[in-house]
Amino acid sequence: MFEDVEINIPCPGCGQKTKKSVAWLKANKQFTCDGCSNAVTVDAEKLFAGIKKADKTLADFRKKLARREKR
């Protein structure tokens, strides 16, 4: 659901933010900072745990809405 969402990832070296989509981050764990050329490694485990939690919360909300509409 969040595949097209773009996230600003700050470089730990210079602080410059780089936008990457969730889909891109699922396929790649590292990129080169445009500001300082350092390799930036993304903590994908932490990122995707948060996305998974958001997906579940949204699914639960949709179920509640569907139940209310049936009443």
Side-chain angles (χ1 to χ4, degrees):
M1 166 155 239
F2 294 101
E3 298 289 313
D4 295 332
V5 173
E6 289 190 333
I7 299 170
N8 282 316
I9 303 168
C11 172
C14 71
Q16 179 167 325
K17 294 179 181 176
T18 302
K19 280 187 179 183
K20 297 291 182 186
S21 71
V22 170
W24 189 92
L25 290 166
K26 283 183 177 180
N28 304 277
K29 306 300 180 227
Q30 192 175 65
F31 64 92
T32 302
C33 175
D34 291 334
C36 66
S37 299
N38 281 337
V40 178
T41 302
V42 179
D43 184 355
E45 293 285 326
K46 191 174 184 181
L47 173 67
F48 296 129
I51 291 171
K52 188 174 181 178
K53 184 177 178 181
D55 271 337
K56 183 179 178 343
T57 300
L58 188 56
D60 291 346
F61 179 71
R62 286 183 176 156
K63 286 178 188 175
K64 287 179 184 179
L65 275 178
R67 283 187 223 134
R68 281 193 151 192
E69 290 175 355
K70 289 181 182 180
R71 290 182 191 173

